[in-house]
Amino acid sequence: MDHAAELFSVLSDPAIYEFENQPPRSLEWLRDRYQKLEQRESPDGHEKWLNWAVRLSSGDVIGYVQATIYDDGRTIIAYEFASRYWGRSLAFQSVTEMLKELRENHDVDNVMAILKTANHRSLRLLQRLGFQSVSEGEEKVVELGHDETLMRQQLFQQL
């Protein structure tokens, strides 16, 4: 299935980019990016890439969730959803399912997320999922911008 074509309109939603990044340059650019990600690991083998398109029961694609598992044990998650689906707990449900998958099938027990400090919507989602801000010393495990926050979640059996 051509996830790039399905996700292109979702990822072209300007509301998503209030805090960071920018829409895909073109459908072809997104297809090339997804073709690389479908390899499921970085060319040097130090990163495992897991990516899922998120669909409604109708089949409509509303966003994606992803995780990067580094060979040193760090795991960082990310997600993006079309703004018309915000506030419906769909991101919460989708990220919860990804965390279960990471714990049960990829032996991940500690997950991090990087967000723009001003992104209160994402902060609330991560807090609802049990993520907590890390201490100042812990922030050294990843490179953060001056306007970014690192949060961590220990994955337990109750997910």
Side-chain angles (χ1 to χ4, degrees):
M1 181 161 295
D2 187 1
H3 291 109
E6 292 181 292
L7 278 162
F8 184 74
S9 64
V10 170
L11 298 178
S12 295
D13 178 354
I16 294 173
Y17 306 100
E18 178 181 355
F19 298 103
E20 60 185 295
N21 299 327
Q22 57 189 345
R25 293 179 213 139
S26 67
L27 178 55
E28 293 73 28
W29 179 88
L30 193 59
R31 278 190 176 118
D32 288 345
R33 176 163 169 67
Y34 286 173
Q35 185 175 7
K36 290 174 189 166
L37 292 174
E38 286 171 1
Q39 302 304 309
R40 299 186 59 94
E41 73 175 16
S42 61
D44 64 9
H46 294 294
E47 300 173 13
K48 185 176 182 180
W49 299 332
L50 304 173
N51 300 274
W52 296 272
V54 177
R55 296 180 184 280
L56 296 175
S57 59
S58 66
D60 293 338
V61 173
I62 63 168
Y64 71 81
V65 294
Q66 67 182 32
T68 301
I69 303 171
Y70 296 88
D71 60 1
D72 66 4
R74 292 176 297 140
T75 300
I76 298 178
I77 65 163
Y79 43 83
E80 286 187 289
F81 292 86
S83 62
R84 69 180 183 263
Y85 297 104
W86 294 350
R88 299 184 188 184
S89 291
L90 297 168
F92 178 82
Q93 294 168 13
S94 301
V95 175
T96 297
E97 288 303 313
M98 176 178 57
L99 295 175
K100 286 180 186 177
E101 171 71 18
L102 291 171
R103 187 192 68 237
E104 294 171 2
N105 297 311
H106 300 279
D107 297 320
V108 170
D109 61 7
N110 192 334
V111 177
M112 295 180 285
I114 300 169
L115 66 146
K116 295 293 184 182
T117 304
N119 189 341
H120 300 292
R121 193 176 297 106
S122 193
L123 175 64
R124 283 191 306 272
L125 170 63
L126 292 168
Q127 288 172 333
R128 190 171 165 215
L129 288 161
F131 280 72
Q132 298 179 338
S133 295
V134 300
S135 67
E136 196 169 308
E138 286 181 291
E139 289 181 343
K140 305 288 186 245
V141 298
V142 297
E143 190 173 320
L144 295 177
H146 70 282
D147 60 345
E148 293 179 322
T149 299
L150 178 66
M151 298 186 75
R152 181 185 308 273
Q153 157 69 288
Q154 288 292 128
L155 299 181
F156 299 107
Q157 295 302 319
Q158 69 265 22
L159 282 177

